[in-house]
Amino acid sequence: MSEQEEWHNSPVGVFDSGVGGLTVAREIMRQLPNERIVYFGDTARVPYGSKSRETVTKFSRQIVHFLETQKVKAIVVACNTASAYALEDLEKEVEVPIIGVVQPGAIAALAATRNKKIGVIATEATINSGIYNRYIEKSDSGVKIIGKACPLFVPLVEEGLWEDPVTDEIAGRYLTELVDSGIDTLILGCTHYPMLRSTVAKIMGNGVTLVNPAYETARELKTLLLEKGLESEHRPGLGTELYRFFVSDAADKFQRFANSILTYGILSAKVINIDEF
């Protein structure tokens, strides 16, 4: 195998603060079935949404250093908070192409809105960063953006309470003001939130388009790999480690969650000491 062929067949690195980024990995598996994936979930230090910019950037750097040891050909920051706080610095420091989940979601929301009123639900850090506002207003200053932090959604998803009366009650409280605001498009601005899509859709009603940045990010990755000539042209053969999963803690819990949302069975998730990187 030539060096160029080996590079084509190198995996894509995907990372998140925990399990939420699996929604991005799932879309990559669906849309880019030839690509190998190395996934890292920072399960020991989740959530990122309540942490400072400095802390999130430090954690993200450590994870990127780990992914570089796995010889990845591109990196997807499958975490809105890390995309908001760390992506700009990482882009300057990493040699391989790196993308986040915010810009693809913002572009899709702009294409979907008819009345120029867009809602964003996300972690406190993502909302406070104003990053969706900046991306959207850069393209169209006439768009009104209403942001709402929904901090309890992440632990609800991680506990598997996707369709539960408790989740319905909390979602109703969070989303009432967005329903009243008249938005016609809502960005699910945290990679955990697609797991609550049916609950959110029920509350928001048929008149509101839900934008899933996980889906849009996989599309952007596909375009990026094609542009850079990095796409894998053949599906890896049997016996090849197509998807590998690493975590910083609680591998068994991660594995159970992953198996509940991925059609590909997770044979194992290996715990690594991320502080070494």
Side-chain angles (χ1 to χ4, degrees), residues 8-70:
H8 273 265
N9 294 321
S10 295
V12 172
V14 180
F15 80 86
D16 179 53
S17 60
V19 300
L22 290 169
T23 60
V24 180
R26 178 174 62 179
E27 288 297 337
I28 296 171
M29 292 172 185
R30 286 175 179 168
Q31 298 183 41
L32 292 83
N34 291 350
E35 298 298 339
R36 296 166 58 210
I37 296 172
V38 175
Y39 182 96
F40 179 82
D42 198 0
T43 46
R45 305 186 294 199
V46 68
Y48 281 9
S50 56
K51 294 180 172 62
S52 69
R53 176 185 296 271
E54 291 74 21
T55 297
V56 172
T57 301
K58 174 189 171 185
F59 290 174
S60 299
R61 279 198 180 102
Q62 290 175 328
I63 297 166
V64 165
H65 292 159
F66 164 70
L67 291 174
E68 287 175 326
T69 69
Q70 303 301 302

Coordinates of all heavy atoms in Angstrom, one line a residue, residues 8-70:
H8 N -5.5 7.9 2.6 CA -6.9 7.8 2.2 C -7.6 6.9 3.2 O -8.8 7.1 3.6 CB -7.0 7.2 0.8 CG -7.0 8.2 -0.3 ND1 -8.1 8.8 -0.8 CD2 -5.9 8.7 -0.9 CE1 -7.7 9.6 -1.7 NE2 -6.4 9.6 -1.8
N9 N -7.0 5.8 3.6 CA -7.7 4.8 4.5 C -7.5 5.1 6.0 O -8.0 4.3 6.8 CB -7.1 3.4 4.2 CG -7.5 3.0 2.8 OD1 -8.6 3.2 2.3 ND2 -6.5 2.3 2.1
S10 N -6.9 6.2 6.3 CA -6.8 6.6 7.7 C -8.1 7.0 8.3 O -9.0 7.4 7.5 CB -5.8 7.8 7.9 OG -4.5 7.4 7.5
P11 N -8.4 6.9 9.6 CA -9.7 7.1 10.1 C -9.9 8.6 10.3 O -9.0 9.5 10.3 CB -9.6 6.5 11.5 CG -8.2 6.5 11.9 CD -7.4 6.3 10.6
V12 N -11.2 9.0 10.5 CA -11.6 10.3 10.9 C -11.7 10.3 12.4 O -12.3 9.4 13.0 CB -13.0 10.6 10.3 CG1 -13.5 12.0 10.8 CG2 -12.9 10.7 8.7
G13 N -11.2 11.3 13.0 CA -11.3 11.5 14.5 C -12.5 12.3 14.8 O -12.8 13.3 14.2
V14 N -13.3 11.8 15.8 CA -14.5 12.5 16.3 C -14.5 12.5 17.8 O -14.2 11.5 18.5 CB -15.8 11.7 15.9 CG1 -17.0 12.4 16.3 CG2 -15.8 11.5 14.3
F15 N -14.7 13.7 18.4 CA -14.7 13.8 19.8 C -15.8 14.6 20.4 O -16.3 15.6 19.7 CB -13.3 14.2 20.4 CG -13.0 15.7 20.4 CD1 -13.4 16.5 21.4 CD2 -12.3 16.2 19.3 CE1 -13.1 17.9 21.4 CE2 -12.0 17.6 19.3 CZ -12.4 18.4 20.4
D16 N -16.2 14.3 21.6 CA -17.3 15.0 22.3 C -17.0 14.9 23.8 O -16.1 14.2 24.3 CB -18.6 14.4 22.0 CG -19.8 15.1 22.7 OD1 -19.9 16.3 22.6 OD2 -20.6 14.4 23.4
S17 N -17.7 15.7 24.6 CA -17.6 15.7 26.0 C -18.1 14.4 26.6 O -17.8 14.1 27.8 CB -18.3 16.9 26.7 OG -19.7 16.8 26.3
G18 N -18.9 13.6 25.9 CA -19.4 12.4 26.4 C -20.0 11.6 25.3 O -19.3 11.2 24.3
V19 N -21.3 11.3 25.4 CA -22.0 10.4 24.4 C -22.7 11.2 23.4 O -23.1 10.6 22.3 CB -23.0 9.4 25.1 CG1 -22.2 8.5 26.1 CG2 -24.1 10.2 25.8
G20 N -22.9 12.5 23.6 CA -23.7 13.2 22.6 C -23.1 13.2 21.2 O -23.9 13.1 20.2
G21 N -21.8 13.2 21.1 CA -21.2 13.2 19.8 C -21.4 11.9 19.0 O -21.2 11.8 17.8
L22 N -22.0 10.9 19.6 CA -22.4 9.7 18.9 C -23.4 9.9 17.9 O -23.6 9.2 16.9 CB -22.8 8.6 19.9 CG -21.7 8.0 20.8 CD1 -22.3 7.1 21.9 CD2 -20.7 7.1 20.0
T23 N -24.3 11.0 18.1 CA -25.2 11.4 17.1 C -24.5 11.8 15.8 O -25.0 11.6 14.7 CB -26.2 12.4 17.6 OG1 -25.5 13.6 17.9 CG2 -27.0 11.9 18.8
V24 N -23.4 12.5 16.0 CA -22.6 12.9 14.8 C -21.9 11.7 14.2 O -21.9 11.5 12.9 CB -21.5 13.9 15.2 CG1 -20.7 14.3 14.0 CG2 -22.2 15.2 15.8
A25 N -21.3 10.8 15.0 CA -20.7 9.6 14.5 C -21.7 8.7 13.7 O -21.4 8.2 12.7 CB -20.1 8.8 15.7
R26 N -23.0 8.7 14.2 CA -24.0 7.9 13.6 C -24.3 8.4 12.2 O -24.4 7.7 11.2 CB -25.3 7.9 14.4 CG -26.5 7.2 13.8 CD -27.6 7.2 14.8 NE -28.1 8.5 15.1 CZ -29.2 8.7 16.0 NH1 -29.8 7.7 16.6 NH2 -29.6 9.9 16.2
E27 N -24.3 9.8 12.1 CA -24.6 10.4 10.7 C -23.4 10.1 9.8 O -23.6 9.9 8.6 CB -24.8 11.9 10.9 CG -26.2 12.2 11.5 CD -27.4 11.7 10.6 OE1 -27.2 11.5 9.4 OE2 -28.4 11.5 11.2
I28 N -22.2 10.2 10.3 CA -21.0 9.9 9.5 C -21.1 8.4 9.0 O -20.8 8.1 7.8 CB -19.7 10.1 10.3 CG1 -19.6 11.6 10.6 CG2 -18.5 9.7 9.4 CD1 -18.4 12.0 11.5
M29 N -21.4 7.5 9.9 CA -21.6 6.1 9.5 C -22.6 5.9 8.4 O -22.4 5.2 7.4 CB -22.0 5.3 10.7 CG -20.9 5.1 11.8 SD -21.6 4.3 13.3 CE -20.2 4.5 14.4
R30 N -23.7 6.7 8.5 CA -24.8 6.6 7.5 C -24.3 7.2 6.1 O -24.6 6.6 5.1 CB -26.0 7.3 8.0 CG -26.8 6.6 9.1 CD -27.9 7.5 9.5 NE -28.7 6.8 10.6 CZ -29.6 7.4 11.3 NH1 -29.8 8.7 11.2 NH2 -30.3 6.8 12.2
Q31 N -23.7 8.4 6.2 CA -23.5 9.1 5.0 C -22.1 8.8 4.4 O -21.9 9.0 3.2 CB -23.6 10.6 5.3 CG -24.9 11.1 5.7 CD -25.0 12.6 5.9 OE1 -24.5 13.3 5.2 NE2 -25.7 13.0 7.0
L32 N -21.2 8.3 5.2 CA -19.8 8.0 4.7 C -19.5 6.6 5.1 O -18.6 6.4 5.9 CB -18.8 9.0 5.2 CG -18.9 10.5 4.7 CD1 -19.9 11.3 5.5 CD2 -17.5 11.1 4.8
P33 N -20.1 5.6 4.5 CA -19.9 4.2 5.0 C -18.6 3.6 4.8 O -18.2 2.6 5.4 CB -21.0 3.4 4.2 CG -21.3 4.3 3.0 CD -21.1 5.7 3.5
N34 N -17.8 4.3 3.9 CA -16.4 3.8 3.7 C -15.4 4.3 4.7 O -14.2 3.8 4.7 CB -15.9 4.2 2.3 CG -16.7 3.5 1.2 OD1 -17.4 2.6 1.4 ND2 -16.5 4.0 -0.1
E35 N -15.8 5.2 5.5 CA -14.8 5.9 6.4 C -14.7 5.2 7.7 O -15.7 4.8 8.3 CB -15.2 7.3 6.6 CG -15.2 8.2 5.4 CD -13.9 8.3 4.7 OE1 -12.8 8.1 5.4 OE2 -13.8 8.7 3.5
R36 N -13.5 5.0 8.2 CA -13.2 4.5 9.5 C -13.3 5.7 10.5 O -13.1 6.8 10.1 CB -11.8 3.9 9.6 CG -11.7 2.6 8.7 CD -10.2 2.2 8.5 NE -9.6 2.0 9.8 CZ -8.3 2.2 10.0 NH1 -7.5 2.6 9.1 NH2 -7.8 1.9 11.2
I37 N -13.6 5.4 11.8 CA -13.8 6.4 12.8 C -13.1 6.0 14.0 O -13.2 4.9 14.5 CB -15.3 6.6 13.1 CG1 -16.1 7.1 11.9 CG2 -15.5 7.6 14.3 CD1 -17.6 7.2 12.1
V38 N -12.4 7.0 14.6 CA -11.9 6.9 16.0 C -12.7 7.9 16.8 O -12.6 9.1 16.6 CB -10.4 7.1 16.1 CG1 -9.9 7.1 17.6 CG2 -9.6 6.1 15.3
Y39 N -13.4 7.4 17.8 CA -14.3 8.3 18.6 C -13.7 8.4 20.0 O -13.4 7.3 20.6 CB -15.7 7.7 18.6 CG -16.7 8.6 19.4 CD1 -17.5 9.5 18.8 CD2 -16.8 8.5 20.8 CE1 -18.4 10.3 19.5 CE2 -17.7 9.3 21.5 CZ -18.4 10.2 20.9 OH -19.3 11.0 21.6
F40 N -13.7 9.6 20.5 CA -13.3 9.8 21.9 C -14.4 10.5 22.7 O -14.8 11.6 22.2 CB -12.0 10.5 22.1 CG -11.6 10.7 23.6 CD1 -11.0 9.7 24.3 CD2 -12.0 11.9 24.2 CE1 -10.7 9.9 25.6 CE2 -11.7 12.1 25.6 CZ -11.1 11.0 26.3
G41 N -14.9 10.0 23.8 CA -15.9 10.6 24.6 C -15.3 10.9 26.0 O -14.8 10.0 26.7
D42 N -15.3 12.2 26.4 CA -14.6 12.6 27.6 C -15.6 12.4 28.8 O -16.0 13.3 29.5 CB -14.2 14.0 27.5 CG -13.1 14.4 28.6 OD1 -12.7 13.5 29.4 OD2 -12.7 15.6 28.6
T43 N -15.9 11.1 29.0 CA -17.0 10.8 30.0 C -16.6 11.1 31.5 O -17.4 11.2 32.3 CB -17.3 9.3 29.9 OG1 -16.1 8.5 29.8 CG2 -18.1 9.0 28.6
A44 N -15.3 11.3 31.7 CA -14.8 11.6 33.1 C -15.1 13.0 33.4 O -15.2 13.4 34.6 CB -13.4 11.2 33.3
R45 N -15.2 13.9 32.4 CA -15.2 15.3 32.6 C -16.5 16.0 32.0 O -16.5 17.2 32.0 CB -13.9 16.0 32.0 CG -12.7 15.3 32.6 CD -11.4 16.0 32.2 NE -11.1 15.9 30.8 CZ -9.9 16.1 30.2 NH1 -8.9 16.4 31.0 NH2 -9.7 16.0 28.9
V46 N -17.4 15.2 31.6 CA -18.7 15.7 31.1 C -19.4 16.3 32.3 O -19.3 15.8 33.4 CB -19.5 14.6 30.4 CG1 -20.0 13.5 31.4 CG2 -20.6 15.1 29.6
P47 N -20.2 17.4 32.2 CA -20.5 18.1 30.9 C -19.5 19.3 30.7 O -18.8 19.7 31.7 CB -21.9 18.7 31.2 CG -21.9 19.0 32.6 CD -21.0 17.9 33.3
Y48 N -19.3 19.7 29.5 CA -18.5 20.9 29.1 C -19.3 22.2 29.2 O -18.7 23.2 29.4 CB -18.0 20.7 27.7 CG -16.8 19.8 27.5 CD1 -16.3 19.0 28.5 CD2 -16.1 19.8 26.3 CE1 -15.2 18.1 28.3 CE2 -15.0 19.0 26.1 CZ -14.6 18.1 27.1 OH -13.5 17.3 26.9
G49 N -20.6 22.0 29.1 CA -21.4 23.2 29.0 C -21.4 24.2 30.2 O -21.7 25.4 30.0
S50 N -21.0 23.8 31.3 CA -20.9 24.7 32.5 C -19.4 25.1 32.8 O -19.2 25.7 33.8 CB -21.5 24.0 33.7 OG -20.8 22.7 33.9
K51 N -18.5 24.7 32.0 CA -17.1 25.0 32.2 C -16.6 26.2 31.5 O -17.2 26.7 30.5 CB -16.2 23.7 31.9 CG -16.5 22.5 32.8 CD -15.7 21.3 32.4 CE -15.8 20.2 33.5 NZ -17.2 19.7 33.6
S52 N -15.5 26.7 31.9 CA -14.9 28.0 31.3 C -14.3 27.7 30.0 O -14.0 26.5 29.6 CB -13.9 28.6 32.2 OG -12.7 27.7 32.2
R53 N -14.1 28.7 29.2 CA -13.5 28.6 27.9 C -12.1 28.0 28.0 O -11.7 27.2 27.2 CB -13.4 30.0 27.3 CG -12.6 30.1 25.9 CD -12.5 31.5 25.4 NE -13.8 32.1 25.1 CZ -14.4 32.0 23.9 NH1 -13.8 31.4 23.0 NH2 -15.5 32.6 23.7
E54 N -11.3 28.5 29.0 CA -10.0 28.0 29.2 C -10.0 26.5 29.5 O -9.1 25.7 28.9 CB -9.3 28.7 30.4 CG -9.0 30.2 30.1 CD -10.2 31.1 30.2 OE1 -11.3 30.7 30.7 OE2 -10.2 32.2 29.5
T55 N -10.9 26.0 30.3 CA -10.9 24.6 30.6 C -11.3 23.8 29.4 O -10.7 22.7 29.1 CB -11.9 24.4 31.8 OG1 -11.4 25.0 33.0 CG2 -12.0 22.9 32.1
V56 N -12.4 24.2 28.7 CA -12.8 23.5 27.6 C -11.7 23.4 26.5 O -11.5 22.4 25.8 CB -14.1 24.1 27.0 CG1 -14.5 23.4 25.6 CG2 -15.3 23.9 28.0
T57 N -11.0 24.5 26.3 CA -9.9 24.5 25.3 C -8.8 23.6 25.7 O -8.2 22.9 24.9 CB -9.4 26.0 25.1 OG1 -10.5 26.8 24.7 CG2 -8.3 26.0 24.1
K58 N -8.5 23.6 27.0 CA -7.4 22.7 27.5 C -7.8 21.2 27.2 O -7.0 20.4 26.7 CB -7.2 22.9 29.0 CG -6.2 21.9 29.6 CD -6.2 22.0 31.1 CE -5.5 20.9 31.8 NZ -5.6 20.9 33.3
F59 N -9.1 20.9 27.6 CA -9.5 19.5 27.4 C -9.5 19.1 25.9 O -9.1 18.0 25.5 CB -10.9 19.3 27.9 CG -11.1 19.4 29.4 CD1 -12.3 19.4 30.0 CD2 -10.0 19.4 30.3 CE1 -12.5 19.4 31.4 CE2 -10.1 19.5 31.7 CZ -11.3 19.5 32.2
S60 N -10.0 20.0 25.1 CA -10.0 19.8 23.6 C -8.6 19.6 23.1 O -8.4 18.7 22.2 CB -10.7 21.0 22.9 OG -12.0 21.1 23.4
R61 N -7.7 20.3 23.5 CA -6.3 20.1 23.0 C -5.8 18.8 23.4 O -5.1 18.1 22.6 CB -5.4 21.2 23.7 CG -5.4 22.5 23.0 CD -4.2 23.4 23.4 NE -4.2 24.7 22.7 CZ -4.5 25.8 23.3 NH1 -4.9 25.8 24.6 NH2 -4.6 26.9 22.7
Q62 N -6.0 18.3 24.6 CA -5.6 17.0 25.1 C -6.2 15.9 24.2 O -5.5 15.0 23.7 CB -6.0 16.7 26.5 CG -5.2 17.6 27.5 CD -5.7 17.4 28.9 OE1 -6.9 17.2 29.2 NE2 -4.8 17.5 29.9
I63 N -7.5 16.1 23.9 CA -8.1 15.0 23.0 C -7.6 15.1 21.6 O -7.4 14.0 21.0 CB -9.7 15.3 23.0 CG1 -10.2 15.1 24.5 CG2 -10.4 14.3 22.1 CD1 -11.6 15.7 24.6
V64 N -7.4 16.2 21.1 CA -6.8 16.3 19.7 C -5.4 15.7 19.7 O -5.1 14.9 18.7 CB -6.7 17.8 19.3 CG1 -5.8 17.9 18.0 CG2 -8.1 18.3 18.9
H65 N -4.6 15.9 20.7 CA -3.3 15.3 20.8 C -3.4 13.7 20.8 O -2.7 13.0 20.1 CB -2.5 15.7 22.0 CG -2.1 17.1 22.0 ND1 -1.8 17.9 23.1 CD2 -2.0 18.0 21.0 CE1 -1.5 19.1 22.8 NE2 -1.6 19.2 21.5
F66 N -4.4 13.2 21.5 CA -4.7 11.8 21.5 C -5.1 11.3 20.1 O -4.5 10.3 19.6 CB -5.7 11.4 22.5 CG -6.3 10.0 22.3 CD1 -5.5 8.9 22.5 CD2 -7.6 9.8 21.7 CE1 -6.0 7.6 22.3 CE2 -8.1 8.6 21.5 CZ -7.3 7.5 21.7
L67 N -6.0 12.0 19.5 CA -6.4 11.6 18.1 C -5.3 11.6 17.1 O -5.2 10.8 16.2 CB -7.6 12.5 17.7 CG -8.9 12.4 18.4 CD1 -9.9 13.4 18.0 CD2 -9.5 10.9 18.3
E68 N -4.4 12.6 17.3 CA -3.2 12.6 16.4 C -2.4 11.4 16.5 O -1.8 10.9 15.5 CB -2.4 13.9 16.7 CG -3.1 15.2 16.2 CD -2.3 16.4 16.6 OE1 -1.7 16.4 17.7 OE2 -2.3 17.4 15.8
T69 N -2.3 10.8 17.7 CA -1.6 9.5 17.9 C -2.2 8.4 17.2 O -1.6 7.3 16.9 CB -1.4 9.1 19.4 OG1 -2.7 8.8 19.9 CG2 -0.8 10.3 20.2
Q70 N -3.5 8.5 16.8 CA -4.3 7.5 16.1 C -4.2 7.7 14.6 O -4.9 7.0 13.8 CB -5.7 7.5 16.6 CG -5.9 7.3 18.0 CD -5.4 6.0 18.5 OE1 -5.7 4.9 18.0 NE2 -4.4 6.0 19.5

